[in-house]
Amino acid sequence: MSRNLKLLSLRLFLVLIVIHGSIYAQVQYGHKNYTEYQPGSLNVILVSPHGSYEVPGDIPDRVNGCWNQTTQVCLWRHNCTDQNATLSALMCSSWIGIDDFTQNLTRLIADELEKKTGKRPYVIINRLHRSKLDANRDVEQAAQGIYDAIQAWNDFSGFILEAKNEIEMKMGRGIFFDIHGQSHPQMWLELGYVISPE
């Protein structure tokens, strides 16, 4: 092989490595690094909405909402005046417990899938503790009107949509896994399929 052909082959190889790395290894972060997006090459989306420990002081903790008896709707904000705290706690409870180790579990699952298939799943992680953002609730309940939490919720949801759209465009179909933990004393393993019993 001539020297010029060897150099050309080496350059092409290096360009392919750079292209491959830039497509699949570019981790993106949302507002203030509160969310993380790892684009992938496998038609699998892994999401960790509650497994993080970051508790920035400038985002107040989420609180129970206020039940509006007239409209039969919860008002999700920090400054609502509540005339029936017991009913509000029952109807508008904000769970702030963490799903222990689910962020790490999500990363481990992604690594194992890549080892087994040679392709990396899409990974989206909420890096805020659940007391600051409950990423898989609607934005009113999730962020309770706090700007930074709203931005993180928008980024988290946007990254999921971006991954979904890319998979549909490149691969046609995919599968979505929302990774959660459990704190039941019975040590249940639960799978949610959104299938009604009927």
Side-chain angles (χ1 to χ4, degrees):
M1 189 185 282
S2 75
R3 177 171 158 74
N4 288 342
L5 189 54
K6 284 181 184 178
L7 285 174
L8 180 62
S9 296
L10 179 60
R11 286 183 184 145
L12 180 59
F13 176 73
L14 291 174
V15 165
L16 289 174
I17 288 175
V18 169
I19 290 171
H20 177 75
S22 67
I23 291 173
Y24 301 118
Q26 290 296 325
V27 176
Q28 299 172 35
Y29 296 95
H31 177 72
K32 294 189 176 182
N33 293 333
Y34 291 153
T35 52
E36 178 181 333
Y37 174 47
Q38 300 173 21
S41 55
L42 182 66
N43 60 342
V44 172
I45 300 172
L46 301 176
V47 173
S48 176
H50 304 135
S52 299
Y53 298 93
E54 291 186 32
V55 288
D58 56 339
I59 299 178
D61 285 351
R62 293 170 54 251
V63 295
N64 289 339
C66 295
W67 179 249
N68 184 315
Q69 189 66 37
T70 306
T71 62
Q72 302 285 295
V73 172
C74 292
L75 303 175
W76 298 103
R77 55 182 189 233
H78 283 84
N79 60 354
C80 61
T81 56
D82 191 5
Q83 297 173 347
N84 189 339
T86 305
L87 190 56
S88 287
L90 178 66
M91 302 301 288
C92 308
S93 178
S94 286
W95 177 251
I96 59 171
I98 190 169
D99 285 1
D100 284 325
F101 311 113
T102 54
Q103 181 183 154
N104 296 342
L105 178 62
T106 301
R107 294 178 193 282
L108 288 171
I109 292 169
D111 291 344
E112 285 301 312
L113 282 170
E114 187 172 23
K115 283 179 194 172
K116 299 278 189 211
T117 67
K119 296 180 180 183
R120 185 134 183 108
Y122 294 75
V123 176
I124 298 103
I125 294 173
N126 167 32
R127 299 177 68 191
L128 288 171
H129 188 277
R130 195 178 198 172
S131 64
K132 306 298 181 178
L133 176 68
D134 193 346
N136 66 347
R137 303 282 184 245
D138 63 26
V139 70
E140 290 81 15
Q141 183 179 0
Q144 297 188 343
I146 304 303
Y147 176 79
D148 285 338
I150 292 169
Q151 293 303 115
W153 186 92
N154 286 334
D155 292 337
F156 184 80
S157 300
F159 288 148
I160 292 171
L161 186 59
E162 184 177 330
K164 175 189 171 287
N165 290 341
E166 188 170 312
I167 286 172
E168 286 177 346
M169 184 179 70
K170 291 181 177 179
M171 296 167 247
R173 302 172 106 181
I175 189 164
F176 178 94
F177 292 97
D178 198 14
I179 309 298
H180 290 271
Q182 241 354 319
S183 58
H184 296 306
Q186 298 88 352
M187 303 297 286
W188 294 339
L189 176 61
E190 297 181 70
L191 302 174
Y193 295 105
V194 194
I195 299 174
S196 71
E198 285 85 48

